[in-house]
Amino acid sequence: MPAAPHRDPVLSLERWSTDDLPVLVHSNTRRMTQYLGGPESHAALLKRHARYLRSWETGDARMFRIEVEGVPDPVGSVGYWEDEWHGRPVFESGWSVHTPYQDRGYATRAMRLLVADAAAHRTPERALLVAFPMVENLPSNALCRRLGFRDEGEQEYPGRRGGTVRVRAWSVDLRDVPAKAVDA
């Protein structure tokens, strides 16, 4: 009998909810935050969680937890928010996949869904999605390249703990992306 074809587990993005603080806690390790300036205090995580929840009400961001079929807990988070870059309105994106679930393609799959969602929610003045991984963060820069983001070069970027850090800027024109909103 022939072997059954390989099927990747279903991955979905689910709207950030009041129960999702543990997703931030699991992402707040030294290893997971090495390119972000290190772990945040619990008070800072609580503020971030409240901001993610509030963003759905204000409409200025869409934050999601990443769910994978057969995995009992979320494997990470992904989202985008309104920002400004080079004097123009943009959506800035960010993602985090917990250490035990890295190198399985989950970040790529989640970001593909996120880009399509951003395309579905773009406006005429906000049609660019950007990402700013630190130059040293080779996996995140490779992810942007794999997704077809345009390499905009290196630049200084405000650090999470003050000062600036060196990032590689990436962009994708959402007008060129098939739009599909995540049901949330």
Side-chain angles (χ1 to χ4, degrees), residues 39-175:
E40 292 181 288
S41 70
H42 189 69
L45 290 181
L46 290 173
K47 285 181 185 178
R48 180 183 299 275
H49 178 57
R51 190 171 65 245
Y52 287 3
L53 291 170
R54 196 173 44 254
S55 71
W56 279 95
E57 304 310 317
T58 62
D60 60 352
R62 289 176 60 89
M63 302 305 296
F64 302 92
R65 69 181 178 276
I66 304 168
E67 298 278 351
V68 176
E69 174 187 48
V71 178
D73 296 313
V75 301
S77 62
V78 65
Y80 61 92
W81 52 93
E82 294 178 355
D83 204 351
E84 191 172 297
W85 184 55
H86 294 307
R88 75 185 275 195
V90 297
F91 287 127
E92 183 176 342
S93 60
W95 57 92
S96 176
V97 173
H98 301 148
T99 305
Y101 302 105
Q102 292 176 2
D103 300 320
R104 298 181 188 196
Y106 296 157
T108 301
R109 292 171 59 200
M111 280 299 290
R112 281 193 183 118
L113 293 173
L114 187 84
V115 170
D117 185 79
H121 291 92
R122 70 177 170 81
T123 62
E125 65 279 350
R126 196 176 304 275
L128 197 66
L129 181 71
V130 296
F132 303 108
M134 287 186 65
V135 171
E136 299 87 4
N137 188 341
L138 300 180
S140 288
N141 283 293
L143 172 63
C144 291
R145 187 175 298 108
R146 190 168 40 257
L147 290 171
F149 279 51
R150 179 185 163 134
D151 185 345
E152 303 284 358
E154 293 183 20
Q155 69 177 50
E156 295 297 315
Y157 187 82
R160 190 159 84 178
R161 303 226 192 289
T164 60
V165 294
R166 195 85 180 143
V167 299
R168 180 161 300 282
W170 297 89
S171 70
V172 62
D173 189 330
L174 296 171
R175 295 170 295 193

